[in-house]
Amino acid sequence: MRMDILKDEKGGYNKVSVLTKTDALNALLYMAESGDVAPDKIRAELEKVSAMELKREKGGFFGVRGFSVEDTDAYLAKLEAQIEEKLR
């Protein structure tokens, strides 16, 4: 089994906001796979979730560590692509 790992970095995305968005995308993916919810409703919700802003942590010497911006953006794009694929 392949595991995607989000590395952490100073000044990265706030971990709570990333996990909130990831949970929402995973719920949409589940709904798309199950076929119980109309695709139009899932697409509308996907637009809302995609628009969710990810907060950034403070950088610098006393910065807080968050999830890597590059890793997170790639992972979220992959989840969104999987949802779109299921809706076709």
Side-chain angles (χ1 to χ4, degrees), residues 56-85:
R56 295 284 298 261
E57 296 292 359
K58 281 180 133 177
F61 186 70
F62 294 107
V64 177
R65 299 187 72 78
F67 285 127
S68 165
V69 172
E70 184 179 330
D71 291 348
T72 302
D73 289 342
Y75 181 69
L76 294 176
K78 181 179 160 186
L79 273 177
E80 290 176 13
Q82 286 178 334
I83 294 167
E84 287 292 338
E85 181 65 30

Side-chain angles (χ1 to χ4, degrees), residues 19-36:
L19 293 175
T20 301
K21 188 168 184 172
T22 304
D23 286 345
L25 288 171
N26 281 321
L28 290 174
L29 181 60
Y30 175 78
M31 285 189 271
E33 287 176 342
S34 69
D36 293 340

Side-chain angles (χ1 to χ4, degrees), residues 48-60:
K48 291 178 191 175
V49 173
S50 295
M52 287 173 61
E53 184 178 337
L54 295 175
K55 298 175 186 172
R56 295 284 298 261
E57 296 292 359
K58 281 180 133 177

Side-chain angles (χ1 to χ4, degrees), residues 32-50:
E33 287 176 342
S34 69
D36 293 340
V37 181
D40 291 338
K41 187 173 181 180
I42 296 173
R43 280 191 184 93
E45 194 64 30
L46 179 59
E47 287 180 23
K48 291 178 191 175
V49 173
S50 295

